[in-house]
């Protein structure tokens, strides 16, 4: 579904299966920064130990021409979020530093004028999800405080809800489609009767997406899939992440994905017949953008990293995030640099407003308030000059249109002030 009508200024949105920013078609180019210290980067005071390293990775990616980054947050729940004894989520973290940590990370991204996509979790196995998150007031509820706490932060572009949860997303009528299809360490879960877990992750994703969008209607949500086989109706396959499947599983109409994210790795040097690097995006016949969220030269079917980035761009996909910047950063940045000036499938450079532009917007709002105040003062002067009470009604009626216009102006100014306040909070600039 296109979100152009609802998108706030300076937010990424989707129009005609393309990522858009301030009316311009953009291609998301970058890489995965999965973690510095596995599961110990955010919350509980952990951010301060990795902040400088994350900042340096952002700088390097920016200098290579990247405009976005995918990073992992909760991983498998080792340190965040906080759980109670019953296994339900009670807070973003135990010590209460998570939101300030995450906002600081987004502020670092703003300095490099590009957005960050966040991956929330990667379950070890589908059977461990119900004990942790089955209650919609649990972890699904915790998405709302997180999203509300971040507000309309202009660097928070997308929510990658989970990574590669295919075994659990199978609905009862369609689970045979993925058996024997390379699930590897997860496939054992599908042997025998899986009706107890088959529908749960679909409802889990539905609840999570609904919670995020209820708190932030302009947020973009996706799920990273291990390969396209589970996320397309083409090639005689079944899209387990369609709006129909997710809403049928969880019952929440807002709980759908805004774009699809495919991962693509070769096996023994060969890509399977449905892989990204065998097709262009239109071949999958999807009704939403497709971003290629994981790939690398090591398992690239003989392609170089520059060839892979170019393939994704030329193949009309919506973006390319290679794996991974920490261990293989030089290789990934070489691919990013290769396409930095490409055109035809979206521009790559993205300009985010800096502090001076925010203050300029505040000055414009101040001028609007002065003009609106003058109009109200004129109406008040007429009321004061009215000698008889019955004439007051005539004055108010005569000025009714002006009062309505003034109310509309004040409402527009209020909305602008909210957006600017969010931007100032996100940059940490509260002085002046």
């Amino acid at each position: 579904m296109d979100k152009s009508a609802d998108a706030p200024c300076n937010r990424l949105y989707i129009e005609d299966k393309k990522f858009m920013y301030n009316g311009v078609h953009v291609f998301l180019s970058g890489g995965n920064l999965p973690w510095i210290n596995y599961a110990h980067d955010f919350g509980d005071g952990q951010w301060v130990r990795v902040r400088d390293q994350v900042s340096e990775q952002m700088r390097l990616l920016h200098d290579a021409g990247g405009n976005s980054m995918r990073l992992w947050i909760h991983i498998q729940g080792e340190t965040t979020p906080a759980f109670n004894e019953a296994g339900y989520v009670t807070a973003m973290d135990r010590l209460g530093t998570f939101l300030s940590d995450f906002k600081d990370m987004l502020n670092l991204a703003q300095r490099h004028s590009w957005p960050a996509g966040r991956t929330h979790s990667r379950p070890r196995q589908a059977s461990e999800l119900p004990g942790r998150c089955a209650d919609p007031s649990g972890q699904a509820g915790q998405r709302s405080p997180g999203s509300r706490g971040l507000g309309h932060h202009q660097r928070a572009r997308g929510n990658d809800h989970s990574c590669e949860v295919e075994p659990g997303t199978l609905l009862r009528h369609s689970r045979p489609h993925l058996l024997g299809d390379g699930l590897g360490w997860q496939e054992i879960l599908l042997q025998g009767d899986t009706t107890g877990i088959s529908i749960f992750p679909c409802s889990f994703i539905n609840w999570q997406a609904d919670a995020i969008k209820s708190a932030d209607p302009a947020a973009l949500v996706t799920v990273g899939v291990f390969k396209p086989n589970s996320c397309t109706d083409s090639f005689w396959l079944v899209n387990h992440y369609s709006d129909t499947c997710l809403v049928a599983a969880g019952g929440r109409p807002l709980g759908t994905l805004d774009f699809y994210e495919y991962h693509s790795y070769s096996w023994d040097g060969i890509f399977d017949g449905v892989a990204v690097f065998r097709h262009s995006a239109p071949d999958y016949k999807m009704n939403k953008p497709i971003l290629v969220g994981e790939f690398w030269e090591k398992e690239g079917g003989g392609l170089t990293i520059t060839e892979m980035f170019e393939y994704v761009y030329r193949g009309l996909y919506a973006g390319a995030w290679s794996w991974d910047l920490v261990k293989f950063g030089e290789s990934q940045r070489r691919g990013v640099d290769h396409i930095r000036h490409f055109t035809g499938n979206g521009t790559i450079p993205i300009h985010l407003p800096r502090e001076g532009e925010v203050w300029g917007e505040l000055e414009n709002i101040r001028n609007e308030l002065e003009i609106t105040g003058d109009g109200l003062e004129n109406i008040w002067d007429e009321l004061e000059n009215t000698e008889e009470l019955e004439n007051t009604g005539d004055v108010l009626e005569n000025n009714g249109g002006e009062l309505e216009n003034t109310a509309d102006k004040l409402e527009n100014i209020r909305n602008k002030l909210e957006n600017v306040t969010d931007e100032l909070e996100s940059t940490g600039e509260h002085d002046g």
Side-chain angles (χ1 to χ4, degrees):
M1 180 181 70
D2 286 358
K3 288 199 172 185
S4 55
D6 301 324
C9 183
N10 299 323
R11 295 290 296 274
L12 199 70
Y13 62 95
I14 292 170
E15 184 176 285
D16 191 26
K17 297 194 291 186
K18 299 173 183 176
F19 288 121
M20 305 290 292
Y21 181 69
N22 286 345
V24 177
H25 174 204
V26 299
F27 179 90
L28 296 185
S29 174
N32 283 263
L33 181 69
W35 50 78
I36 301 298
N37 295 325
Y38 183 86
H40 289 80
D41 287 348
F42 296 97
D44 294 335
Q46 301 174 125
W47 169 245
V48 67
R49 295 193 293 268
V50 301
R51 183 183 189 276
D52 289 347
Q53 295 174 73
V54 172
S55 180
E56 176 64 6
Q57 288 292 337
M58 289 180 172
R59 183 192 69 79
L60 291 170
L61 183 58
H62 171 266
D63 291 349
N67 64 15
S68 53
M69 174 182 286
R70 178 178 181 246
L71 48 80
W72 295 33
I73 309 304
H74 297 302
I75 315 296
Q76 298 178 134
E78 290 85 348
T79 61
T80 63
F83 298 93
N84 63 18
E85 293 181 356
Y88 296 127
V89 174
T90 59
M92 300 302 291
D93 64 337
R94 292 182 298 277
L95 300 182
T97 71
F98 181 91
L99 284 178
S100 61
D101 292 349
F102 204 79
K103 283 184 177 180
D104 186 53
M105 183 278 296
L106 293 174
N107 292 337
L108 291 178
Q110 188 264 348
R111 294 180 186 178
H112 301 296
S113 194
W114 46 258
R118 43 187 169 170
T119 296
H120 291 298
S121 60
R122 178 177 188 169
R124 281 186 289 267
Q125 57 183 39
S127 58
E128 76 177 4
L129 287 173
R132 291 187 170 186
C133 316
D135 183 354
S137 67
Q139 189 168 357
Q142 284 304 316
R143 289 289 180 262
S144 296
S147 295
R148 284 197 301 268
L150 293 174
H152 298 301
H153 200 299
Q154 61 175 308
R155 267 65 63 194
R157 299 300 186 188
N159 297 268
D160 186 348
H161 168 273
S162 300
C163 181
E164 300 182 357
V165 294
E166 279 74 10
T169 62
L170 306 179
L171 297 175
R172 292 183 180 88
H173 72 278
S174 59
R175 67 173 183 261
H177 286 279
L178 296 186
L179 281 170
D181 198 29
L183 293 174
W185 51 274
Q186 296 241 34
E187 190 164 335
I188 187 66
L189 296 173
L190 299 180
Q191 306 305 318
D193 182 10
T194 60
T195 56
I197 65 168
S198 60
I199 202 169
F200 175 76
C202 274
S203 61
F204 176 65
I205 293 168
N206 173 254
W207 291 344
Q208 296 285 316
D210 178 87
I212 293 170
K213 295 178 184 181
S214 295
D216 182 3
L220 303 179
V221 181
T222 191
V223 169
V225 299
F226 83 112
K227 56 182 177 177
N229 302 50
S230 62
C231 192
T232 179
D233 289 319
S234 295
F235 313 110
W236 302 280
L237 296 167
V238 175
N239 181 8
H240 302 283
Y241 300 96
S242 68
D243 294 358
T244 300
C245 281
L246 293 181
V247 174
R252 301 190 178 186
L254 292 180
T256 59
L257 305 183
D258 297 288
F259 62 99
Y260 296 114
E261 180 191 323
Y262 293 170
H263 299 171
S264 191
Y265 297 100
S266 64
W267 180 257
D268 285 339
I270 300 173
F271 286 110
D272 67 41
V274 186
V276 164
F277 295 97
R278 291 287 190 92
H279 298 278
S280 62
D283 293 345
Y284 298 101
K285 297 181 172 60
M286 305 301 281
N287 62 346
K288 301 177 182 182
I290 302 173
L291 183 148
V292 185
E294 286 187 23
F295 60 93
W296 64 350
E297 188 175 273
K298 183 178 179 181
E299 292 174 292
L303 298 174
T304 66
I305 194 65
T306 57
E307 290 172 335
M308 298 182 86
F309 268 90
E310 180 164 351
Y311 189 102
V312 174
Y313 187 94
R314 304 292 188 201
L316 302 180
Y317 294 96
W321 291 334
S322 59
W323 186 272
D324 75 65
L325 291 169
V326 177
K327 293 183 178 179
F328 307 98
E330 183 178 352
S331 171
Q332 313 317 311
R333 290 188 293 271
R334 188 165 61 251
V336 171
D337 178 71
H338 178 68
I339 66 170
R340 66 191 302 170
H341 300 303
F342 279 20
T343 59
N345 184 29
T347 186
I348 292 175
I350 295 178
H351 173 72
L352 299 181
R354 301 300 179 100
E355 178 190 350
E357 296 170 69
V358 173
W359 287 113
E361 180 65 16
L362 277 177
E363 180 66 18
N364 292 336
I365 291 173
R366 185 185 69 80
N367 292 335
E368 288 188 47
L369 281 171
E370 286 184 358
I371 295 171
T372 304
D374 290 341
L376 287 172
E377 187 174 344
N378 291 337
I379 295 172
W380 183 253
D381 288 342
E382 289 194 51
L383 287 173
E384 284 187 330
N385 293 331
T386 301
E387 296 180 356
E388 298 180 8
L389 184 62
E390 56 267 23
N391 292 336
T392 302
D394 294 336
V395 173
L396 287 173
E397 185 175 351
N398 292 336
N399 289 280
E402 181 62 28
L403 285 170
E404 288 182 4
N405 291 336
T406 300
D408 291 340
K409 289 179 181 179
L410 288 172
E411 177 65 17
N412 290 333
I413 290 171
R414 184 185 70 83
N415 292 333
K416 289 181 179 180
L417 280 172
E418 285 184 354
N419 289 335
V420 173
T421 298
D422 288 336
E423 291 180 5
L424 287 174
E425 287 179 351
S426 71
T427 56
E429 296 292 339
H430 301 289
D431 298 331

